Amino acid sequence: MPWITSNAYLSLDDQKNNAVQLVYNLHSRGWSLEACSGMLGNMQTESTINPGIWQDLKEGNMDGGFGLVQWTPARDFIAWCESEGLPYANGDTQCDRFEFELENHLQYYPTTRFPETFAQFKESTKSPYYLGQAFCANYERPKAPDLDARGKQSEFWYEYITGNPPPPRQGRKMPIYFYNKIL
């Protein structure tokens, strides 16, 4: 089934369709399933995994966000699409844009908490929870991030696309001096 695209919030079934399309596209380019899941967990919040949605459904608002990750301002993303001769409300075009950003060191900026480069993120097999948080902090950078929610959504998408529960979350390890207290 092709991408579902419109200026509307998608149902969960439609989001699942688009999630499969995204994974098919990006995984064939070397993106890990964990990285795809981390992106999907963010796209669920940003756009309901809809490549044709405008921020707040304000169609044509070039100052707002647009697409799967709500590129802001929309005019910059759309200008890139036009310069490449690509349709902007198309999921495959938007996957092309992720590759362009990765190759040109755009949009994704490592942080102290999530130090992976975009190239490392692309191939990472860390937990979907961690990668969902990393994508939020390093790529999306919203004003009010809810890292836990995006991490949990990423776990949902990992289970959906693989049919397996997500691996355990990476967290802080117990300091070595605590081991003596519990032995």
Side-chain angles (χ1 to χ4, degrees):
M1 185 172 208
W3 285 90
I4 296 169
T5 182
S6 65
N7 189 31
Y9 301 111
L10 296 183
S11 69
L12 183 57
D13 284 341
D14 290 345
Q15 289 179 62
K16 287 178 177 179
N17 174 83
N18 285 357
V20 169
Q21 299 305 313
L22 179 121
V23 169
Y24 178 78
N25 186 309
L26 292 181
H27 190 59
S28 69
R29 299 180 195 216
W31 293 72
S32 72
L33 295 176
E34 293 84 356
C36 291
S37 300
M39 295 172 77
L40 287 166
N42 280 274
M43 291 173 188
Q44 181 179 359
T45 296
E46 295 291 326
S47 67
T48 64
I49 314 177
N50 184 347
I53 197 167
W54 293 84
Q55 186 175 352
D56 299 323
L57 304 181
K58 295 179 182 174
E59 190 164 344
N61 178 8
M62 294 297 194
D63 293 325
F66 178 79
L68 291 170
V69 292
Q70 292 295 284
W71 280 281
T72 308
R75 81 172 63 77
D76 293 346
F77 169 72
I78 292 170
W80 176 83
C81 292
E82 290 172 349
S83 73
E84 298 293 315
L86 299 169
Y88 61 86
N90 177 283
D92 291 329
T93 294
Q94 293 179 28
C95 288
D96 291 342
R97 178 64 189 196
F98 297 132
E99 284 287 314
F100 175 81
E101 290 172 344
L102 187 148
E103 292 166 7
N104 292 281
H105 308 286
L106 302 172
Q107 187 62 35
Y108 187 101
Y109 304 105
T111 57
T112 302
R113 184 170 174 193
F114 304 103
E116 296 82 10
T117 65
F118 206 8
Q120 291 168 327
F121 173 89
K122 173 183 176 175
E123 297 176 351
S124 181
T125 56
K126 289 186 177 182
S127 75
Y129 183 86
Y130 174 87
L131 293 174
Q133 292 184 330
F135 194 78
C136 181
N138 297 353
Y139 186 95
E140 292 289 355
R141 301 181 303 281
K143 288 181 183 176
D146 186 344
L147 295 179
D148 185 56
R150 294 194 189 213
K152 288 176 181 175
Q153 289 170 181
S154 299
E155 290 177 319
F156 169 84
W157 290 109
Y158 180 84
E159 187 161 353
Y160 177 73
I161 63 178
T162 67
N164 297 309
R169 298 176 187 171
Q170 279 88 12
R172 294 180 181 224
K173 294 194 165 73
M174 189 171 16
I176 192 78
Y177 57 86
F178 281 142
Y179 286 103
N180 291 335
K181 294 182 184 219
I182 61 173
L183 293 177

